[in-house]
Amino acid sequence: MSKTIAVIGLSWGDEGKGKFVDFLAQKADIVVRYNGGNNAGHTIEANGVKYKFKLMPSGAPLEKEGVIANGCVVDPKVLLEEIKNLKNLNKKINLKLSSTAHVIFPFHRILDGLEEKTKGSYAAGTTKRGIGPTYSDKAARWGIRVFDLINPDLLKLKLEKLFKIKKELINIYDPNWDTDLDTIYEEYKSYGEQLKPYVIDTAYYLNNAVDSGTKILFEAAQGSLLGLDHGFYPYGTSSNANALGICAGTGIPPKKIGKIIGIVKAYTSRVGEGNFPTELFNETAHKIREQGHEYGTVTGRPRRVGWLDLFNIKYGIMVNGVDKIVLTLLDALHGINPIKICTGYELDGEILESWPIQSEIIENCKPIYKTFEGWDEKTREQWMEIAEIGYKALPEAMKVYIQTIKEILKTEIAMVSIGPDRKETIVLENVSF
Ligand code: GDP
Ligand code: IMO
Ligand code: MG
């Protein structure tokens, strides 16, 4: 069996993937991003330093080798900024960038905003980072890839063609929009020169690494429910933000993907639009948002919050083939009493067996809740002390919450998290490569 572990968010993103990629990276050799782009925001806290990454794989604070594989879309400016920031922190950059990842251009970002306006009530509330339009160009087979970016002649040839059509398209929405092709070309040529030292054929590289027993972590961006094929379409992103995306996004065949760890937040959050049946709007929502610092890393938007939805999580366990789960942000629920969990749904008097998929029907589904006693508020220092002692020191009501989740999901809980720092982690079952 290959020595690979995938870390996947089982909800709508921001489950704490970054923290656990960093945690597991302590024993890994390579960390691989395989989907999405700088729509992601992954936060890591370790040794008193807070890192926020949009593109860099989350092994960077530990100076682990990072791979941005072919399934990603890359805004070169953002990547170069992250490299610079890490260098300023005296971190060694150990990065490999796929020659076949697609490149985000300014016109993609503009189109992202214009398309959203046109979609009206079907808009997902995107991060406006050009993710959808760049993946659209990839699927239409006229996208510009990293290989083109680092070859100025190819870049010029392809950019001229793409720019012409994009300009005409943008002008349909906004007749006054104008920009200069040469400026974009010169800017991107310079990005290509700077990124060239990192560019390789990552599929070949990673397959060799897997075959020689290298310990590899796959870091999903976004969450399973935002996934293009198995998420809440159209209110999601444009990549397969789940374990299914690993193979196409890296070139590693399915039989070489090892363990799958699903990250689950103790409640639910969502940024952007779309169904959220367990959403809360009252004081409780406000308290959870503040205690969990639920504001988007990328856009700063307040995240929508609601009760944990185990019907959703079961769906995530199914499509990802999750082996074990990690429960995060349990501390952020302190002082909330009672706490609820959605265990299923009712539609027209019938109990649902699986999601009806169409957002218009999900709208009419009524959550069925199980109610729990909450636990008292504690200071950060107290949570730190509890983490040091371990599981037995957790509040009794939290233990009931954790054990009930495990029973309902019929899935082992590998770790629980009671604070953002690497140390604020309690291991219940070792996850080994
Ligand atoms: P990701 O996108 O899945 O990597 O998650 P984000 O980093 O966007 O959002 C998770 C936020 O919660 C980050 O600010 C983390 O530092 C923080 N976090 C992670 N685990 C915990 C936890 O157990 N408790 C608290 N209070 N914060 C956590
Ligand atoms: P991480 O990796 C939460 C959401 C956006 C929007 C939809 C589509 O930090 O968990 P896009 O810009 O991708 O076209 O937006 O997806 N979204 C995220 N929500 N966490 C993320 O990433 C997200 N990336 C995209 O808010 O609803
Ligand atoms: Mg995030």
Side-chain angles (χ1 to χ4, degrees):
M1 179 120 149
S2 71
K3 291 183 177 160
T4 67
I5 299 176
V7 175
I8 313 286
L10 295 191
S11 188
W12 284 293
D14 305 323
E15 299 90 349
K17 298 176 292 294
K19 169 173 170 167
F20 279 91
V21 170
D22 166 76
F23 188 87
L24 293 168
Q26 294 176 101
K27 290 188 182 154
D29 302 309
I30 305 179
V31 181
V32 185
R33 271 282 305 269
Y34 64 88
N35 78 297
N38 58 313
N39 46 349
H42 298 175
T43 312
I44 294 155
E45 281 190 48
N47 304 324
V49 186
K50 200 185 239 190
Y51 304 85
K52 285 181 185 291
F53 298 123
K54 293 167 185 161
L55 268 168
M56 277 306 270
S58 296
L62 290 165
E63 299 183 331
K64 297 288 171 170
E65 184 174 326
V67 172
I68 299 176
N70 60 280
C72 295
V73 286
V74 177
D75 187 325
K77 188 177 179 196
V78 174
L79 181 56
L80 285 163
E81 263 164 26
E82 293 195 340
I83 292 172
K84 192 173 97 195
N85 293 343
L86 281 165
K87 281 185 179 164
N88 287 343
L89 291 169
N90 287 324
K91 292 285 172 191
K92 207 173 100 214
I93 306 296
N94 197 348
L95 177 70
K96 305 235 174 337
L97 171 62
S98 168
S99 51
T100 57
H102 280 247
V103 179
I104 301 177
F105 284 87
F107 42 78
H108 290 127
R109 287 194 295 271
I110 290 164
L111 278 168
D112 195 346
L114 294 171
E115 287 173 6
E116 280 275 284
K117 263 195 212 156
T118 313
K119 285 176 185 172
S121 65
Y122 287 107
T126 72
T127 59
K128 297 200 173 62
R129 298 303 190 262
I131 306 298
T134 307
Y135 277 116
S136 300
D137 284 353
K138 173 180 177 174
R141 289 161 286 110
W142 59 8
I144 296 180
R145 306 198 285 186
V146 168
F147 184 81
D148 306 314
L149 183 72
I150 62 169
N151 286 286
D153 293 344
L154 278 178
L155 176 65
K156 187 158 208 153
L157 190 74
K158 296 192 179 180
L159 188 58
E160 269 169 3
K161 282 197 204 311
L162 196 64
F163 180 78
K164 187 171 177 298
I165 197 81
K166 295 296 163 185
K167 186 170 181 304
E168 281 179 21
L169 190 56
I170 292 173
N171 284 152
I172 294 174
Y173 296 107
D174 177 3
N176 298 319
W177 186 80
D178 199 13
T179 195
D180 178 30
L181 170 64
D182 289 340
T183 313
I184 300 180
Y185 171 70
E186 289 302 328
E187 182 185 339
Y188 274 69
K189 193 172 79 159
S190 153
Y191 295 149
E193 280 160 12
Q194 295 170 72
L195 288 173
K196 198 171 178 172
Y198 305 109
V199 178
I200 61 159
D201 175 347
T202 54
Y204 187 73
Y205 179 78
L206 287 173
N207 270 289
N208 275 337
V210 172
D211 292 346
S212 58
T214 306
K215 294 174 187 147
I216 300 178
L217 262 181
F218 298 109
E219 174 178 17
Q222 290 79 54
S224 194
L225 299 177
L226 289 171
L228 181 59
D229 283 280
H230 299 282
F232 279 34
Y233 190 90
Y235 302 103
T237 192
S238 303
S239 66
N240 280 300
N242 47 38
L244 302 165
I246 300 172
C247 300
T250 61
I252 298 172
K255 61 185 172 192
K256 291 185 184 170
I257 307 299
K259 292 176 185 147
I260 312 284
I261 304 298
I263 311 293
V264 177
K265 200 181 270 198
Y267 49 93
T268 308
S269 71
R270 176 159 206 185
V271 206
E273 304 304 322
N275 307 93
F276 187 173
T278 66
E279 184 167 11
L280 291 163
F281 299 94
N282 48 20
E283 255 315 291
T284 311
H286 176 72
K287 196 166 158 63
I288 297 176
R289 185 175 301 112
E290 294 310 310
Q291 292 184 170
H293 305 289
E294 294 293 353
Y295 293 87
T297 315
V298 176
T299 58
R301 290 179 286 181
R303 294 175 183 150
R304 299 158 68 191
V305 296
W307 300 123
L308 175 60
D309 186 335
L310 292 185
F311 194 69
N312 270 343
I313 302 300
K314 275 185 191 167
Y315 178 74
I317 290 174
M318 177 184 82
V319 293
N320 289 284
V322 169
D323 294 300
K324 285 179 184 165
I325 64 171
V326 169
L327 264 183
T328 63
L329 283 120
L330 281 156
D331 58 303
L333 281 181
H334 62 183
I336 309 276
N337 206 355
I339 297 173
K340 291 186 185 178
I341 286 183
C342 166
T343 54
Y345 283 90
E346 202 187 294
L347 179 65
D348 301 330
E350 307 257 329
I351 303 291
L352 279 190
E353 282 201 17
S354 63
W355 271 128
I357 293 308
Q358 275 303 109
S359 68
E360 292 86 348
I361 303 175
I362 294 173
E363 211 51 53
N364 300 322
C365 295
K366 285 196 189 68
I368 302 162
Y369 288 112
K370 192 172 173 63
T371 304
F372 293 79
E373 194 188 315
W375 44 91
D376 291 341
E377 283 183 38
K378 303 201 185 303
T379 61
R380 180 93 193 261
E381 289 68 33
Q382 286 173 316
W383 285 118
M384 277 270 189
E385 281 166 24
I386 290 175
E388 242 169 76
I389 303 168
Y391 184 81
K392 65 174 185 220
L394 289 177
E396 287 309 314
M398 191 192 279
K399 288 184 194 162
V400 172
Y401 193 70
I402 295 168
Q403 292 309 322
T404 313
I405 292 170
K406 175 177 154 176
E407 280 158 27
I408 295 174
L409 295 178
K410 298 189 183 75
T411 307
E412 291 300 329
I413 297 179
M415 289 177 264
V416 296
S417 176
I418 51 172
D421 195 273
R422 195 188 285 155
K423 284 192 291 207
E424 290 164 303
T425 305
I426 298 175
V427 178
L428 310 183
E429 283 199 35
N430 258 322
V431 177
S432 55
F433 279 94

